[in-house]
């Protein structure tokens, strides 16, 4: 039986579904709160707070396929983004989030999300590997896949 739980909103209260126990549901709520903190750090333009939500050796793959490795590099790249090309952008807390336990202390997270810059919404499907650390849950990996807005052929 699949150990997958889907929520409508990242920080919403969660109840066990078929195949879920209370402990995994509690873990998922903690990870959902981590997703909310991620959006809050982005919206504050706080690269340090944003990077702190990742493990020391995290892998971060951007929408265009670039790989950033390690918390320090994630912080540095986001500081540049928040002070430059993405200054003033906002991120909605991820929604329609799915959680799948991979092993004790490791959870796959797949969610929809997006950022808004200069009034333009850019939607993505994102995935994370969340791991339990002595400091609490952190993201060990991130992958962002930009979603294209499809238009009917008649509009091309």
């Amino acid at each position: 039986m699949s150990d997958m739980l889907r929520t409508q909103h990242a920080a919403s209260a969660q109840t066990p579904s078929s195949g879920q126990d209370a402990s995994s549901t509690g873990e998922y709520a903690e990870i959902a709160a981590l997703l909310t903190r991620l959006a809050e750090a982005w919206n504050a333009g706080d690269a340090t707070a944003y990077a702190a939500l990742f493990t020391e050796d995290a892998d971060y793959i951007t929408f265009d396929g670039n790989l950033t490795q390690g918390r320090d590099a994630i912080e540095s790249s986001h500081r540049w983004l928040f002070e430059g090309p993405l200054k003033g952008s906002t991120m909605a807390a991820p929604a329609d989030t799915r959680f799948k336990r991979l092993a004790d202390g490791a959870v796959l997270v797949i969610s929809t999300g997006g950022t808004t810059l200069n009034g333009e919404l850019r939607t993505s499907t994102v995935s994370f590997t969340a791991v339990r650390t002595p400091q609490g849950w952190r993201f060990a990996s991130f992958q962002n896949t930009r979603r294209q807005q499809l238009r009917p052929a008649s509009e091309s």
Side-chain angles (χ1 to χ4, degrees):
M1 186 171 289
S2 174
D3 185 25
M4 183 72 73
L5 180 69
R6 180 185 297 261
T7 64
Q8 291 298 359
H9 303 286
S12 66
Q14 300 165 29
T15 57
S17 63
S18 177
Q20 301 300 312
D21 62 28
S23 68
S24 59
T25 301
E27 289 174 345
Y28 298 160
E30 291 175 34
I31 297 166
L34 193 64
L35 290 168
T36 299
R37 289 172 47 206
L38 191 75
E40 291 169 348
W42 183 287
N43 294 338
D46 187 339
T48 302
Y50 187 85
L53 303 174
F54 291 86
T55 61
E56 223 26 74
D57 63 347
D59 292 311
Y60 192 102
I61 302 172
T62 62
F63 75 95
D64 58 358
N66 287 313
L67 172 63
T68 301
Q69 294 181 286
R71 181 185 296 149
D72 290 342
I74 293 168
E75 180 177 350
S76 176
S77 65
H78 281 81
R79 183 171 323 289
W80 176 80
L81 289 168
F82 294 157
E83 292 174 357
L86 296 181
K87 186 173 186 165
S89 66
T90 59
M91 175 191 291
D96 196 24
T97 303
R98 297 170 36 191
F99 301 90
K100 182 177 183 179
R101 179 186 285 239
L102 301 174
D104 187 38
V107 174
L108 171 66
V109 182
I110 300 173
S111 187
T112 59
T115 57
T116 302
L117 178 63
N118 299 324
E120 179 184 342
L121 174 63
R122 302 173 309 174
T123 59
S124 295
T125 298
V126 294
S127 63
F128 301 85
T129 305
V131 295
R132 189 182 308 117
T133 72
Q135 297 76 36
W137 287 93
R138 295 293 182 267
F139 298 122
S141 70
F142 169 79
Q143 164 76 51
N144 180 4
T145 303
R146 188 71 47 85
R147 294 172 64 177
Q148 297 295 322
Q149 301 299 332
L150 300 178
R151 296 183 199 160
S154 61
E155 292 183 21
S156 298

